[in-house]
Each structure stands twice: as structure tokens, then as C-alpha cells.
Amino acid sequence: MTENAQQQPPAPSTDLPTQYAPAEVEGKLYERWVDRGYFAADAKSDKPAYTIVIPPPNVTGSLHLGHAFQHTLMDALTRRKRMQGYESLWLPGMDHAGIATQNKVEQQLADEGKSRHDLGREEFVERVWQWKEEYGGKILGQMRRLGDGVDWDRERFTMDEGLSKAVLTIFKKLYDDELIYRAERIINWCPRCLTAISDIEVEYQEDAGELVSIRYGEGEDSLVVATTRAETMLGDTAVAVHPDDERYRHLLGKQIKLPLTDRTIPVVADEHVDPEFGTGAVKVTPAHDPNDFAIGQRHDLPAMTIMDEHGIITVHGPFLGLDRYEARSAVVGALKEQGRIVAEKRPYMHSVGHCSRCKTTVEPRLSMQWWVKVGPLAKAAGDAVRDGRVKIHPEEMSKRYFDWVDNMHDWCISRQLWWGHRIPIWYGPDGEVVCVGPDEEPPTGEGWVQDSDVLDTWFSSGLWPFSTLGWPEQTPDLAKFYPTDVLLTGHDIIFFWVARMMMFGLYAMDGEAPFHTIALTGLVRDEFGKKMSKSNPNAVDPLVWMDRYGSDAVRFTLARGANPGADVPIGEDWVQGSRNFANKIWNATRFALMNGATVDGPLPAPSEMSSTDRWILSRLNSVVAEVDAFYDDYQFAKLSDSLFHFAWDEVFDWYVELSKTTFQAGGEAAEVSKRVLGEVLDVTLKLLHPVVPFVTETLWTTLTGGESVVIADWPEDSGFRDADAEREIESLQSVITEVRRFRADQGLQPGQRVPARLTLDGTPFAPHEAAIRQLLRLQPEGDAFTATATLPVAGAEVALDLSGTIDVAAERKRLAKDLAAAEKEKAQANAKLGNEAFLSKAPDHVVDKIRTRLAKADEDIARIQAQLERLPQA
């Protein structure tokens, strides 16, 4: 339990408004937290460190539900650790988002009738910085709305001075270690963004295209190839067949005529070719297909680039200047005229890569680019998880991680953009290549030029866990807060970001991984499990819900759906439910304060408490232990659910209600229960605080008079348990629940009073007769009492006089009608299930539905018959 009782806080206020109004509370509270420095971390502190770095949102971004989801969980972790006595650092910042940000500014220029080339590189980059200052960082203000407890004094940006130095430092180190190189390879090219993009920035989808089969060569020296990209045949430099394919053995080594051109190309044997697929012959275009590029290298084939960066054909007269799609139609038309088209299939559904930024179809293209040799880096990243230095949670997600790091291809890190970290390579007039580190002067003189490309955005964000703490300088922050404790992020960016940070962290920090745990979450979806998208009507702006229901309601809904690694469905009804929970906490605390609940002084001894008091304290300690275990296992849904049911069901609906008669009676028992209720609320509000910080701050400071729950001590399990009290109150609950159910079945209103005789002698809850009568609206039996219904429950007997409360004849008539309907439903279901012809033809789900109907009918019949038996005779 807490030490709060020994701190002798000032007398708490009971002045709470009748209703909780989040809009009037949240903004003021957040600014007070920031002004008082509660979220600022001290590198000189003797406290143990707990560190989380925020996955840096794009400078172009705004808060969406995915951000709100992950930020809620990270905030909950750091708030709890701060309360547990850790020096908690949650470090915020933003990513410069190369392609996305450049696109924003280029759109602005297009509206002015200009392009970046009209401004030139320096002026364009300056324009992007201006855009960033004016429009960027919108999300940071929105994070405040959500309640993010980040250390704003340490806010970083991937292109600020310190992080830029880190980028140059690691590039130089990798280059000197021969882990960065320049080579001409096939890359994914976006003709819209005009840059290379990495494999993981390509999204594949099924598109409708056309598969055409084309005859190459003449007569016996001919074969047929199939393609969905007919225009690329202009760059073919061979046809490949499997070496064991007898159909083409006579053509191996021969030259055959390439249609529509004046060239001949060889037929080569390559084991990559599947002789069972299609005709068993494939066209080879080394400059425009990664598999063809590999075949070309094995057979020393030339690579002909036939398109420019915009996807415009640059070769062969008739098609010169055509867009790639125009050229596709024109090439197929020309082949038809020559009788070269053997077959066509349209539409032909096939997987096509698209740029994840602009959705343009990606064009494989041979290009000179800069690459990271990932082999040794990826091995180290895999080993760190395999040997236990880094845990992946949930563990089953490890397979996805290993599938990626164990099969990673070299990483293309150059981008043909102007916004970003420019590659620190200078080329000299005589072919010199010089890599310049952060503290070195670049070469000068005539003919020296810097590489025009910038680095992939993920190159700089891969340094985030240590560059944000001051690396390459050996800063106090780096010494105190690295490695970070947990990376909490979506499973969808294992490949983009997680693996990059693992590789760079282990490499730069002498084998010390950037985090101890990788906690992977799912994605937020709508209430029907569908992916949310701006293009769909199911997309939700969390700020709208925050305005409508409060930030706590949004946070609690998201946390309550957060099962490790699993997607999170969310609907507005659920947010409304969470708002109702916040209101319930408010109203129950307000009631407690009005009735004298206090945290003043030590808790009374158990011997001075009622069984109700001992029960709730026993349950409270169990919940403290349970919540701690769930936090340590990143089970946010379970801990939220546990707190919800404990607070609403056990504290508010049972303990508070059972205590009302004690409060009304007064005396020493009432004073004990007031202190117990204060303790229970004190601890419950602390347990809830990391997930719902605003309402708990208001209520806790009012209840305790303390400065802030943000810096209060986290509750500890005192070990107090009382199994006898728990059994007693569980039995009492069963009595009350059963009688309530009977009252509802008889159509009695919740507040309607009924004469009753209680026989409780010999039961553990005999002392609770006053509470039972109050909760069940049972008045004393009186002289004219007639027991018309008797309920034996948990060893007790509750006799009710319903003669003046219900029309027994009418109630019997209604129940008889319901019973007949249930019996008819049962008969119909049994008839269908007994029909072999029906069972042999009906789908499984139809049969299952009828079985469910039968079970429901049986339940209804049993329930109605029990109600009829309990009714007095008419």
C-alpha cells in the first residue's frame, strides 16, 4: 500500500463540480505539468534511468489514431516508471521526411507556376526550411492535447545540427570500414518523385494488365516469350531458357532476331528459368528488371537503358518520346502488324509495385547509387535477439524480424532529392573520391563537386536512439539514458525502422543494442476490423473525439484494445463508454468526499475493520499486483480491463454502495470505512493515472491535497489478503444479484419497494441485513406480510410479498405466452436437426446457427419455468 497516510497532507477540498468537463480541465493541467518540469529528466540524477524515444512523426504529419494509440501506451509506461522512482525520459522529436516534405513544397511551387529547378538547390532547401517553420510540427501541439508526458527541452529534429553531425560521423565510419559503396544496380525508381526508393517503400497490389506472348526469331530458330511490359522488349539483350530444356537445346548459343529492332540477341542457358512456367523461355532486359540484371551479370550481357527518369522512351525511332504506357500500346500494335503476337490475355491480374508515397507504379531501373553492405550489420542485429540481449514482445513476432534481418539485401541509401542530408562525398577533376567527416574541410579547387544525392530518411532515423542523446559526443545524456529500455512501435515498421536502429546502434555503440525490449503493437482499425484510410469514410480524426469526449476517454479506449501485436478495433461507441467511465470515477469520488472519505492518518488495524473493509483492501492489493504484472508484460488491454472492472464493479458498485448504510449509521465503524474508502480511491486513482491522467490528477489532488499524482509514489502490494472476507462478500453479492434478477424478471422497477422477510441466521453475511435491504429496496415485512415468493440463496432465505406490487394473473399470462413461443422455437429447431436430408445439404454455418437457436430456446424455457414457479398463485 502507499505511504501517503504518513505524509500528513493538507486537508483535501470537497469542492468538485457536479459534472466532469474535460475541456475545462485538460489544457490547464497539461501546461501546469510542463511548467513545473514534471516531465524533464535529469542526467545527473542518482535515480535509475528509464528511457523511451518516440518514433519520430513526419514533420508533415498530424495526429492520427495510430499516433494516439502508441503515444498513449508510451506515456503510460513512462508515467508509471516516474511514479516508481525512475528518472524517466520520454524523448520527443520529428523526422524531416525527405520525399514527403519535398513533395509538399514542390506542390506549393507548382501552384505558383514554378519548379524547384527555377529556384536552384540552395534557395529550394531554404524554402523547405521556411515551410517547416510555418507548417511543420503541427503534430507536436496535438501531442499536448493527448497528454504526452515528453521532455520538451530535449525535442530533436533529424536535420538539426547535432543529428546532422551524427549522420556525417556514421557515414564516414561506415565508408572507412568499406561498408558503404557506390555501384550500378537495379533499383526501384519512382517516375513521379524522381528518386530511388528502397524495397520496403514499395507497396504491391493486384493490378489489371495485359499478358502478351511474342514470337522472337524466325522458323525453327524462333521461340515465344510472354510479358506484361511489352515496351521493355526494346531493351532486351538475350532470351534465357533452362539448360536442361530439350525444346531449346538447338538454339543455345545462337543469335535470334529481336522484333521491331535491327538487333540480334543470344539465347542463353540459365538455371533461374523455370521450364514448367509458360513457354519456358524468358526475355532478358538487364537494365529494367532485377532478375534479368542478375542473369545479365552471369552471362556478361549488355544492359540497355531505354527510359529516362520520367518513364519516357529514349531509344528506337518510332517509340522515342512516348510515355511508358503509350509505348506499351504502340509496341503491341506494331508487333501485331508483323504477326508477332501469338496470344493475349486481358485483363491479366498481377502484382505490381507502387511508390508508398505517391502510389505511382514503380519502374525497375539500372542506376548508379550508394549502398550499405548490410551483411555484417544484419547478422549482429539478428544475434542480439537470438542471444537474449534484446527481447521481442510478443515473442511470436520474432519470426518476422528474423525473416527480414537474415535475408536482407544491401540497402540503397541515396535519394535523388534536394531535401535531406546530402551525401558527404566529393568528386575530383581526375576521378578522385573523398568522403568528408563532420570535422573535416571538403576539398576545394577547380573541378571538385559534392555528390548531388541525399540520404534515405531511414538512414538518419536509424540513429535516433543515440543521436538524440548527443552521440557522437560522449554526453551525460548518452551515459545516463542509453541504451533505451523499450521501443514501442507498430509491427508494420520492423523492416523500415526497427532493423535499421538495431544495425546502427550495435555498430556505433560498441555492440550495445539501442533498447532492451522491442514491444510491437498492431494497427488501429475501425470497429468492424477494417483498415482506416483517409480515402475511406471510416477514417477518424482523434482530435474530434478528444473534443467530444475528452482525451482520457480516447486514451482509455485505445489502451483497453491494446493486446500485444494484435490489431486494435475502435468505434465511437467505445469512446463514449470510456467517457462514461471517467464520469463514473468523478461521481464516485465526489460522493466519497461528500461523505468524509479521507487519506488522513494511518489505516486502522484489520481487527477494527468490517468484513466489507477487509474485502476491498484485499481485492485492492490483488489488483495492484495484477496491474504490475500486466505492465511488465506489456498487456495494456488486460491491465485496463482489470482496472475498469475493479473501479466500476467492485469499488463503485459494491464497496461504495455497501458502505452507505455504515456512513448513515455513523460512529466508529463509519470513521474506519471513510479512511478505507479514502485509501482505496487514493490507490485506484494512482493505478489509473498513467492511462487516464487528466481526470485522475483532478480527483487525486482534491482527495489528498497532494501536489500532483504525476510525481506521487506508485502503489505497492502490501501483501494484505483476507480470503474469508472475500468469500463472505462474494456470497453477499450472489444473494443481492439473485434477488435483483428475480425482481427484474417480475417486472419490478429498480426503485420499487417490496416487503420482505430475510432469514440470514447461520450465514456469513448475517451482519449485512441493513445493506441488503437498502440495495434491494426491501422494506420491513409488517403485520400483513404474506410470503408469495421465496428465494433460497447461498444458505439464506429471502421471502417477498408481491401481492401489492404486480398483477399475478397478468404476469402468468405473459410468461405463459413467452413459454409457448420458446417451446415452438425448440420444436422447429429439433425438427430441422432431426431431418437427415436437411443436414446433408445445409452448410455447416447454417446447421450451427440452428443448434445455437435450440440451445437458446432451452435456456429460455428453463428461465421462464423458474419464474412461473416463483410466482404466487393467482
Side-chain angles (χ1 to χ4, degrees), residues 240-242 245 247 270-282:
V241 298
H242 193 275
D245 195 330
R247 293 172 294 177
D270 195 281
E271 292 190 351
H272 168 76
V273 179
D274 180 0
E276 302 298 323
F277 184 77
T279 64
V282 297

Side-chain angles (χ1 to χ4, degrees), residues 141-397:
Q142 296 167 342
M143 287 163 55
R144 291 172 177 263
R145 283 287 315 280
L146 188 65
D148 283 5
V150 297
D151 187 345
W152 291 110
D153 294 337
R154 285 182 167 84
E155 180 191 331
R156 304 306 298 268
F157 179 55
T158 49
M159 283 185 63
D160 66 28
E161 184 178 351
L163 271 65
S164 294
K165 182 176 182 180
V167 169
L168 295 176
T169 300
I170 201 159
F171 187 100
K172 172 73 171 173
K173 179 174 171 60
L174 288 163
Y175 182 85
D176 290 346
D177 288 346
E178 298 183 349
L179 293 173
I180 283 183
Y181 64 95
R182 192 173 186 233
E184 191 174 43
R185 300 266 185 88
I186 289 283
I187 49 93
N188 302 298
W189 181 264
C190 177
R192 161 63 183 80
C193 297
L194 297 180
T195 181
I197 58 176
S198 67
D199 290 344
I200 52 179
E201 292 170 304
V202 178
E203 295 177 347
Y204 287 90
Q205 66 184 46
E206 290 294 309
D207 285 359
E210 178 183 20
L211 182 68
V212 293
S213 298
I214 309 167
R215 183 173 298 282
Y216 286 16
E218 305 293 343
E220 292 184 358
D221 290 347
S222 69
L223 38 67
V224 175
V225 300
T227 182
T228 57
R229 301 166 68 219
E231 72 281 5
T232 62
M233 67 160 293
L234 302 174
D236 285 358
T237 56
V239 172
V241 298
H242 193 275
D244 298 332
D245 195 330
E246 293 293 337
R247 293 172 294 177
Y248 304 117
R249 187 174 295 279
H250 67 289
L251 291 177
L252 291 179
K254 287 189 176 182
Q255 297 280 328
I256 61 173
K257 181 77 166 57
L258 179 65
L260 306 184
T261 72
D262 57 3
R263 294 190 291 117
T264 60
I265 57 176
V267 178
V268 299
D270 195 281
E271 292 190 351
H272 168 76
V273 179
D274 180 0
E276 302 298 323
F277 184 77
T279 64
V282 297
K283 59 192 288 299
V284 182
T285 320
H288 292 277
D289 182 275
N291 293 323
D292 293 3
F293 178 77
I295 293 174
Q297 290 208 312
R298 287 195 289 271
H299 297 277
D300 198 23
L301 299 173
M304 290 182 59
T305 300
I306 63 163
M307 291 181 217
D308 68 10
E309 59 187 7
H310 298 277
I312 304 299
I313 301 298
T314 58
V315 298
H316 203 70
F319 311 107
L320 184 64
L322 294 180
D323 169 85
R324 52 182 170 161
Y325 299 114
E326 296 171 334
R328 184 171 301 170
S329 297
V331 166
V332 171
L335 290 167
K336 283 181 179 178
E337 289 180 7
Q338 293 188 6
R340 293 283 178 177
I341 300 294
V342 176
E344 293 179 84
K345 186 176 182 181
R346 184 191 301 157
Y348 177 73
M349 302 303 297
H350 61 132
S351 183
V352 178
H354 297 260
C355 173
S356 62
R357 300 290 182 185
C358 70
K359 311 309 177 188
T360 300
T361 299
V362 168
E363 190 65 42
R365 187 168 187 256
L366 186 62
S367 180
M368 183 67 76
Q369 301 284 345
W370 286 95
W371 305 80
V372 171
K373 186 184 297 182
V374 299
L377 303 175
K379 182 180 183 305
D383 290 345
V385 175
R386 286 189 170 94
D387 64 23
R389 281 175 287 158
V390 178
K391 305 287 187 186
I392 292 181
H393 188 87
E395 190 176 354
E396 57 265 26
M397 285 285 179

Side-chain angles (χ1 to χ4, degrees), residues 413-703:
I413 56 172
S414 46
R415 298 291 181 267
Q416 289 63 55
L417 305 170
W418 288 355
W419 172 245
H421 295 98
R422 194 165 175 182
I423 289 177
I425 296 289
W426 269 256
Y427 304 106
D430 299 318
E432 303 95 331
V433 178
V434 176
C435 179
V436 178
D439 300 318
E440 300 172 346
E441 291 295 325
T444 57
E446 186 176 349
W448 283 93
V449 294
Q450 186 177 358
D451 195 297
S452 61
D453 289 351
V454 300
L455 288 164
D456 179 10
T457 295
W458 298 102
F459 190 94
S460 52
S461 59
L463 314 180
W464 190 252
F466 52 95
S467 64
T468 52
L469 298 173
W471 187 90
E473 308 301 328
Q474 296 304 307
T475 64
D477 275 1
L478 194 64
K480 177 75 174 179
F481 297 113
Y482 187 91
T484 66
D485 285 87
V486 59
L487 171 72
L488 190 144
T489 191
H491 62 65
D492 55 324
I493 58 171
I494 290 178
F495 319 128
F496 288 93
W497 192 45
V498 178
R500 312 295 193 210
M501 288 188 290
M502 285 287 285
M503 292 192 301
F504 282 166
L506 290 160
Y507 174 74
M509 300 300 292
D510 299 322
E512 197 167 22
F515 17 75
H516 299 305
T517 301
I518 302 168
L520 296 171
T521 69
L523 307 180
V524 179
R525 297 183 178 272
D526 73 10
E527 59 192 303
F528 305 107
K530 294 181 179 178
K531 183 178 180 181
M532 288 189 178
S533 168
K534 291 181 180 178
S535 60
N536 292 334
N538 67 349
V540 172
D541 181 350
L543 296 166
V544 172
W545 281 354
M546 288 156 68
D547 289 340
R548 204 171 285 166
Y549 306 111
S551 298
D552 283 335
V554 174
R555 290 171 60 115
F556 192 71
T557 305
L558 290 164
R560 205 172 176 194
N563 290 298
D567 288 347
V568 184
I570 184 171
E572 188 166 2
D573 287 351
W574 306 342
V575 185
Q576 290 177 5
S578 295
R579 186 269 315 274
N580 295 343
F581 179 51
N583 289 341
K584 184 79 170 181
I585 302 169
W586 182 273
N587 293 333
T589 306
R590 187 169 179 272
F591 165 84
L593 289 168
M594 291 172 63
N595 283 274
T598 180
V599 297
D600 190 19
L603 275 173
S607 60
E608 300 175 35
M609 298 178 188
S610 69
S611 57
T612 309
D613 294 331
R614 296 195 304 277
W615 161 71
I616 198 64
L617 289 175
S618 180
R619 289 293 304 125
L620 178 67
N621 278 284
S622 295
V623 169
V624 169
E626 190 174 73
V627 167
D628 275 333
F630 286 145
Y631 262 116
D632 292 342
D633 198 33
Y634 304 98
Q635 298 279 359
F636 296 98
K638 290 182 178 179
L639 72 89
S640 299
D641 215 45
S642 175
L643 287 170
F644 174 87
H645 287 294
F646 174 71
W648 191 308
D649 300 344
E650 298 186 79
V651 179
F652 306 149
D653 279 359
W654 283 108
Y655 181 70
V656 167
E657 293 298 321
L658 289 170
S659 299
K660 283 181 179 178
T661 52
T662 306
F663 293 155
Q664 290 168 359
E668 184 60 30
E671 295 306 311
V672 170
S673 291
K674 289 174 185 178
R675 179 64 190 89
V676 170
L677 179 55
E679 180 75 6
V680 171
L681 286 175
D682 175 20
V683 173
T684 302
L685 291 170
K686 287 177 179 177
L687 292 174
L688 284 165
H689 172 73
V691 181
V692 285
F694 294 108
V695 67
T696 52
E697 171 79 340
T698 305
L699 295 175
W700 187 86
T701 52
T702 304
L703 172 71

Side-chain angles (χ1 to χ4, degrees), residues 61-133:
S62 60
L63 190 76
H64 57 64
L65 272 175
H67 290 130
F69 170 53
Q70 292 180 357
H71 288 204
T72 293
L73 306 187
M74 286 183 277
D75 194 34
L77 290 172
T78 49
R79 284 178 183 269
R80 171 178 175 254
K81 285 295 184 180
R82 188 179 293 113
M83 295 172 74
Q84 286 182 316
Y86 287 79
E87 197 63 37
S88 291
L89 170 60
W90 186 19
L91 194 148
M94 293 183 298
D95 192 287
H96 65 279
I99 296 177
T101 309
Q102 179 157 322
N103 281 348
K104 289 279 188 185
V105 179
E106 289 199 77
Q107 288 168 11
Q108 276 191 342
L109 291 175
D111 293 340
E112 300 169 14
K114 299 177 183 177
S115 75
R116 59 176 162 136
H117 300 285
D118 295 322
L119 274 65
R121 184 170 192 138
E122 288 187 12
E123 189 177 341
F124 176 79
V125 170
E126 180 58 33
R127 179 75 176 256
V128 181
W129 277 107
Q130 291 172 7
W131 183 93
K132 185 258 181 186
E133 293 303 315

Side-chain angles (χ1 to χ4, degrees), residues 660-781:
K660 283 181 179 178
T661 52
T662 306
F663 293 155
Q664 290 168 359
E668 184 60 30
E671 295 306 311
V672 170
S673 291
K674 289 174 185 178
R675 179 64 190 89
V676 170
L677 179 55
E679 180 75 6
V680 171
L681 286 175
D682 175 20
V683 173
T684 302
L685 291 170
K686 287 177 179 177
L687 292 174
L688 284 165
H689 172 73
V691 181
V692 285
F694 294 108
V695 67
T696 52
E697 171 79 340
T698 305
L699 295 175
W700 187 86
T701 52
T702 304
L703 172 71
T704 68
E707 179 183 343
S708 173
V709 70
V710 176
I711 55 173
D713 292 337
W714 182 254
E716 294 184 2
D717 174 12
S718 70
F720 175 78
R721 301 289 191 278
D722 191 323
D724 291 339
E726 290 196 35
R727 281 192 294 271
E728 177 179 326
I729 301 304
E730 285 171 7
S731 297
L732 175 61
Q733 289 170 336
S734 68
V735 171
I736 293 171
T737 300
E738 185 63 27
V739 177
R740 278 176 174 167
R741 184 181 296 117
F742 176 74
R743 286 177 56 108
D745 287 343
Q746 306 312 312
L748 297 176
Q749 296 300 314
Q752 189 173 355
R753 294 198 167 272
V754 178
R757 179 172 59 236
L758 306 184
T759 306
L760 307 177
D761 294 344
T763 66
F765 39 84
H768 300 282
E769 179 169 349
I772 293 173
R773 286 189 176 276
Q774 179 164 316
L775 289 173
L776 290 173
R777 304 294 189 268
L778 302 179
Q779 63 192 40
E781 53 193 280

